[in-house]
Amino acid sequence: MKIIITERQLKTVVFQNINESTSNDKNKIFLKDEFGIDLDGKIKMIQSYEELPLMFASHFYPKDFNRMLNDGGPFYVMSITKGYKIGNQYVNKLYLYRPRVDGSSYLVDQDGYNKSESTFLENLGVDIIGLTIKDLVDIYFEK
C-alpha cells in the first residue's frame, strides 16, 4: 500500500508534534535527527550592554542598546554553525535576535547585516516545518 501526503500535511503533522510535545528533549532529538540542528547551550540571553559580545557591541552605543532592551525586552545571541559556509566548510557565526511585539523579529549577524527570519530558517533547513526563531529559542534556551 502506498500513502501519499502533501507537503502541507507533512508540515502540519510535524508542527503539531513539536507544539504538543511536553518535553523539549523530544523536540531537540527530533531536530537533531531529522535536520542536524543542535543548539544546546548555543543560545544566550542578553539583558545589558555589558553582556553583549564584542563583535555586536561595535554596532551599538551603550545608552541606545540599553534603551532598546528597556523598550522591547531581552535579546538572544545564537551561535550557529549550520547554514553558513565558507567554501565547503560550515563555520560558526553569531546572530543577535529579538522577537518583536508585532510577530516579526530583529535579526542581525555578527558582521552587522540584517537578516530575514525566513532566509535564516531556510539556511538551517527548518523552514519546511513552519518553525520560527522564537520556537527554536523556546526549545533550546535554558533559563
Side-chain angles (χ1 to χ4, degrees), residues 18-32:
I18 287 176
N19 283 336
E20 292 174 2
S21 175
T22 57
S23 169
N24 274 342
D25 291 335
K26 288 181 184 178
N27 294 335
K28 291 176 186 179
I29 291 168
F30 172 77
L31 288 170
K32 186 173 184 179

Side-chain angles (χ1 to χ4, degrees), residues 97-100 103-107 114-124 126-127 130-136:
Y97 164 76
R98 181 175 69 184
R100 293 185 175 145
S104 66
S105 63
Y106 174 87
L107 183 66
N114 289 324
K115 299 291 181 184
S116 74
E117 183 168 357
S118 60
T119 301
F120 178 82
L121 294 168
E122 185 178 312
N123 288 342
L124 284 179
V126 297
D127 59 319
L131 286 179
T132 64
I133 299 174
K134 185 176 182 331
D135 294 330
L136 292 174

Side-chain angles (χ1 to χ4, degrees), residues 81 83-91:
T81 301
Y84 183 72
K85 280 186 175 181
I86 294 181
N88 289 332
Q89 281 287 48
Y90 283 109
V91 295

Side-chain angles (χ1 to χ4, degrees), residues 24 43 45 47 74 76 134 137-143:
N24 274 342
I43 298 177
M45 183 185 287
Q47 295 181 313
Y76 297 90
K134 185 176 182 331
V137 169
D138 290 343
I139 292 168
Y140 285 101
F141 177 69
E142 297 183 16
K143 297 171 178 134

